[in-house]
Amino acid sequence: MRESYLFTSESVSEGHPDKVSDQISDAILDAFLAKDVELGIADNSAVNTRLGCETLCTTNKIVIAGEGRGQLFRTIHGVSVVDRELISEIARGVVKDIGYDQNGFSYHGADVEVLLHGQSPDIAMGVDAKKKKNGEEEGAGDQGMMFGYACNESEVYEKGSYMPAPIYFAHKILKVLAEKRRNGQLADLQPDSKSQVTVRYIDGKPTGCTKVVVSTQHNEKSRNGKKYSPGLIKEMISTAVESALPKGWMPQKNSDFLVNPTGNFVVGGPDGDCGLTGRKIIVDTYGGYAPHGGGAFSGKDPTKVDRSAAYAARYLAKNVVAAGLAERCTIQVAYAIGVADPMSVLVDTHGTGKVDEKKLEKVLPQLFRLTPTNIRRALKLNRPIYRRTAAYGHFGRAPEKDGGFSWEKTDLAGALKGAVQ
């Protein structure tokens, strides 16, 4: 990559229609996994949850479809049937928590249609664990390639994030706005918003923003009856946006900070634009700064390598950088459906590595087996930890005490450093 350049990434808030759908799908997955944990079967590959849950949201309508198996299904006359009332209440709870109670999209007014059905036995046959000499191994839930990435450029701004600056700050702007909307400081904002940040790199290092774009849904009028304009919204949020950026990074020219550039943004959320699970995969990962295999994450249980192997690749890439073995690292893994071991592993340190990449390709799978069974057990992925991932990115977040964001740990760095010396 060139040493001096501009790079742009975008983020969307939890109220964006696609993110509403992602959060509903992941909240439903969490409900299945919570039941497995309650019954003590979370790590029993013969009976634990399998789920591929898709959600569509539009004007006062939520459609939930997909296939799976688990403790929220029951068999009636030989047919696997899900508890539709429970699934509907989960969806409404997500919408309420996000903050939607509008004429065109409301947690209590939306019609919820549940079309989840039992998993195909042909798929289950390939994924369920098979007896091997070294124990049971689940096959990958699908074919495909997954990427993980980490870099040290954002460490100056938040220790432990290991993320590219453009996506890191695009997320942060929206998180600040959402926090102020929820606590009443910016009460006239509504849940749907987007950000876009263009960062200038000099000698390979991020040095500031050249452009910042924010589109945010808002009430038509203020509480004193004054009609909002894009200029008033810009004035309202500018201090909050600047607070999300490092000192001196906020663009100084009025034309370089754009707010609601198409005009007023009153009708938004699923009422303004249909939302679907899995349409914001670049927002979910690295903002376009690194490759993406194409598979979405939300609504998928951890036997589906679209999700779990992407988490594992991020975990390994982050530990390579945290160990000081490279400033940037991309890892690709590829799988075939029903086969446990990956078809290939590639490590690319982009010319910043201190260790031969072929050596890393050999050592990493030895330290951390990249089979679906080991990934989900080592990272403790069979837990209800997914809804929180479905807004503001799956990566660059702090590991949590209950196992959330376990793939963000750097606990392999020491062993990795020792193994390559």
Side-chain angles (χ1 to χ4, degrees), residues 135-289:
E136 290 189 347
E137 286 288 0
E138 297 159 354
D142 202 351
Q143 70 177 46
M145 66 282 192
M146 300 83 209
F147 290 90
Y149 178 79
C151 61
N152 61 10
E153 68 182 50
S154 60
E155 287 303 279
V156 143
Y157 311 110
E158 182 167 337
K159 194 77 174 169
S161 68
Y162 292 96
M163 289 292 284
I167 187 65
Y168 174 80
F169 289 111
H171 286 324
K172 190 172 181 181
I173 286 170
L174 295 186
K175 285 192 280 188
V176 168
L177 291 179
E179 179 183 344
K180 292 183 180 300
R181 170 178 66 86
R182 289 176 180 276
N183 68 21
Q185 293 181 54
L186 294 175
D188 283 337
L189 297 186
Q190 290 293 316
D192 191 1
S193 60
K194 302 175 76 171
S195 67
Q196 186 170 284
V197 174
T198 300
V199 173
R200 184 185 298 281
Y201 285 76
I202 297 177
D203 295 329
K205 303 296 182 184
T207 61
C209 294
T210 63
K211 301 280 185 181
V212 173
V213 183
V214 177
S215 295
T216 180
Q217 186 187 14
H218 56 86
N219 293 337
E220 186 175 9
K221 296 180 180 179
S222 67
R223 295 183 181 183
N224 62 15
K226 188 172 184 179
K227 191 170 183 178
Y228 278 118
S229 66
L232 287 174
I233 298 297
K234 183 175 184 177
E235 184 179 328
M236 179 197 300
I237 70 171
S238 60
T239 300
V241 172
E242 186 171 5
S243 74
L245 299 172
K247 187 176 181 180
W249 275 43
M250 185 73 172
Q252 296 305 303
K253 289 184 180 179
N254 192 54
S255 59
D256 292 336
F257 175 41
L258 306 177
V259 175
N260 291 358
T262 62
N264 283 350
F265 185 3
V266 175
V267 178
D271 186 31
D273 190 14
C274 182
L276 289 169
T277 299
R279 286 206 301 196
K280 286 293 175 283
I281 59 176
I282 302 304
V283 171
D284 283 344
T285 53
Y286 308 103
Y289 208 86

Side-chain angles (χ1 to χ4, degrees), residues 147-151 160-164 286 308-320 329 331 394-397 407-409:
F147 290 90
Y149 178 79
C151 61
S161 68
Y162 292 96
M163 289 292 284
Y286 308 103
S308 57
Y311 289 170
R314 160 66 176 177
Y315 173 68
L316 295 180
K318 187 171 182 178
N319 276 272
V320 168
C329 181
I331 293 178
H394 293 245
F395 306 127
R397 314 278 288 271
W407 49 92
E408 292 296 308
K409 292 181 179 180

Side-chain angles (χ1 to χ4, degrees), residues 3-178:
E3 290 298 301
S4 298
Y5 53 92
L6 303 179
F7 196 91
T8 302
S9 293
E10 73 159 347
S11 180
V12 299
S13 71
E14 75 261 33
H16 185 279
D18 295 330
K19 281 288 142 201
V20 175
S21 296
D22 283 344
Q23 289 170 91
I24 290 172
S25 291
D26 271 341
I28 292 166
L29 173 62
D30 280 351
F32 274 87
L33 295 175
K35 195 67 176 177
D36 288 352
V37 171
E38 178 188 330
L39 296 175
I41 60 171
D43 291 317
N44 185 340
S45 60
V47 294
N48 61 12
T49 290
R50 300 283 189 272
L51 193 67
C53 180
E54 315 293 340
T55 303
L56 176 150
C57 295
T58 186
T59 302
N60 272 331
K61 181 76 174 182
I62 301 170
V63 179
I64 298 163
E67 50 80 29
R69 78 176 192 205
Q71 301 306 309
L72 300 185
F73 283 98
R74 62 186 187 276
T75 301
I76 299 177
H77 303 304
V79 177
S80 188
V81 178
V82 75
D83 186 338
R84 289 186 173 89
E85 185 175 340
L86 174 61
I87 300 300
S88 296
E89 287 308 306
I90 292 170
R92 293 186 193 281
V94 170
V95 174
K96 182 178 181 180
D97 184 59
I98 292 169
Y100 278 116
D101 189 12
Q102 303 168 359
N103 289 335
F105 193 71
S106 168
Y107 70 92
H108 57 81
D111 176 53
V112 183
E113 188 172 359
V114 180
L115 303 173
L116 286 172
H117 61 82
Q119 184 182 51
S120 160
D122 293 340
I123 293 177
M125 179 175 60
V127 177
D128 284 345
K130 299 175 177 63
K131 292 285 186 181
K132 293 193 174 184
K133 290 181 181 179
N134 58 347
E136 290 189 347
E137 286 288 0
E138 297 159 354
D142 202 351
Q143 70 177 46
M145 66 282 192
M146 300 83 209
F147 290 90
Y149 178 79
C151 61
N152 61 10
E153 68 182 50
S154 60
E155 287 303 279
V156 143
Y157 311 110
E158 182 167 337
K159 194 77 174 169
S161 68
Y162 292 96
M163 289 292 284
I167 187 65
Y168 174 80
F169 289 111
H171 286 324
K172 190 172 181 181
I173 286 170
L174 295 186
K175 285 192 280 188
V176 168
L177 291 179

Side-chain angles (χ1 to χ4, degrees), residues 330-386:
T330 300
I331 293 178
Q332 186 207 50
V333 290
Y335 292 85
I337 189 169
V339 180
D341 289 304
M343 302 290 101
S344 64
V345 178
L346 171 75
V347 177
D348 183 358
T349 54
H350 307 279
T352 70
K354 298 180 181 179
V355 177
D356 186 87
E357 291 157 335
K358 290 182 179 178
K359 190 168 188 179
L360 289 171
E361 289 169 0
K362 181 179 179 181
V363 167
L364 287 170
Q366 292 173 348
L367 292 176
F368 187 91
R369 289 195 67 212
L370 287 163
T371 63
T373 301
N374 186 66
I375 291 170
R376 70 174 180 81
R377 288 180 177 170
L379 297 180
K380 296 181 170 58
L381 298 182
N382 276 84
R383 300 293 184 272
I385 57 173
Y386 293 105

